[in-house]
Amino acid sequence: TFPDKNVMGIDYSLRAINLAMAMNPSGNYFCKDIIKESPKEQHDIGILMEVFEHINPDDGRKFIEAINQIIKSDDLLKTNDES
């Protein structure tokens, strides 16, 4: 949990959203496909946990472009395969 941070979770899987809500109930969660409907807000950091392997390879570039719209220009995108 991140008690002093504003956490927003986005996933097109309601099951994933429910799991995230169970792990961090104070966050704001949205079930949507960011390729089709990107959030208007920008955030300081993005964390992709077991995400990219579920993205259709044909949509990979659009997915990364959507992520880049959400993350502020000089901030951080972190995937779970980075150390």
Side-chain angles (χ1 to χ4, degrees), residues 42-62:
Q42 288 193 312
H43 299 277
D44 296 324
I45 188 168
I47 301 171
L48 304 178
M49 296 176 58
E50 299 182 32
V51 172
F52 205 73
E53 65 268 26
H54 299 284
I55 303 301
N56 182 320
D58 293 337
D59 292 333
R61 182 173 300 279
K62 289 186 274 186

Side-chain angles (χ1 to χ4, degrees), residues 10-18 30-32:
I10 305 170
D11 201 298
Y12 61 79
S13 165
L14 184 56
R15 181 176 181 212
I17 292 295
N18 288 334
F30 304 93
C31 188
K32 65 171 88 177

Side-chain angles (χ1 to χ4, degrees), residues 4 8-9 16-17 20-21 25 27-29 32 36 41-42 45 48 50 55-56 62 65 67 75 77 80-81 83:
D4 60 337
M8 180 178 75
I17 292 295
M21 290 172 63
N28 296 309
Y29 301 96
K32 65 171 88 177
K36 296 176 182 172
E41 312 86 20
Q42 288 193 312
I45 188 168
L48 304 178
E50 299 182 32
I55 303 301
N56 182 320
K62 289 186 274 186
E65 289 170 0
I67 294 291
D75 290 317
L77 173 64
N80 64 332
D81 61 343
S83 50

